[in-house]
Amino acid sequence: MLSPDSNWPIHIEDKQGRHIYLTQERWEHALGHPGMSDSLLKSAIETIRSGQRTQDKFDPNKYKYSQEFHDLPMLYTHFVVVVKFGWKDHPPQANNFVLTAYMIEKW
């Protein structure tokens, strides 16, 4: 687990200037995926900042950010961060948050 003094939520801006946040609860959820560890938090942030963004086929408000890394554990090649885009409050404010993160093998 991350130290309790970590600054949560973590606010990140993607390469198009969209503001996204990651909560400690969602990061702890992501840590349940195979191979995930706290040391990969920087990879998650970098993936949002500069990764390729793809819209989900079934939910138009959900996007996957993916990026290749050469130093991931085991045989994993890419890091994926799933982000849900939406609105909250009145007047509406962007509410774009990380749902989960995981690693995949891509050849």
Side-chain angles (χ1 to χ4, degrees):
M1 294 290 155
L2 294 173
S3 65
D5 60 344
S6 296
N7 294 322
W8 295 102
I10 298 171
H11 295 272
I12 310 150
E13 193 171 293
D14 76 4
K15 59 186 174 184
Q16 298 299 320
R18 291 177 281 263
H19 297 278
I20 298 162
Y21 66 93
L22 170 61
T23 64
Q24 185 173 7
E25 185 272 333
R26 290 286 83 203
W27 181 245
E28 289 175 1
H29 166 82
L31 292 175
H33 293 291
M36 291 290 290
S37 69
D38 279 330
S39 65
L40 294 168
L41 180 59
K42 288 182 181 180
S43 298
I45 292 168
E46 180 62 26
T47 299
I48 293 170
R49 285 185 178 148
S50 59
Q52 180 182 359
R53 181 177 184 253
T54 307
Q55 189 174 33
D56 187 89
K57 294 176 184 176
F58 303 105
D59 183 347
N61 295 317
K62 190 188 308 181
Y63 289 81
K64 289 181 181 175
Y65 289 77
S66 63
Q67 184 161 324
E68 182 176 15
F69 288 92
H70 298 287
D71 59 349
L72 295 176
M74 297 183 265
L75 297 175
Y76 295 113
T77 59
H78 289 70
F79 203 89
V80 178
V81 180
V82 182
V83 178
K84 182 78 170 189
F85 286 81
W87 301 95
K88 66 177 182 176
D89 298 330
H90 191 73
Q93 295 179 354
N95 185 33
N96 310 325
F97 58 94
V98 172
L99 289 171
T100 194
Y102 53 89
M103 296 176 291
I104 60 170
E105 294 177 48
K106 235 185 198 183
W107 301 100

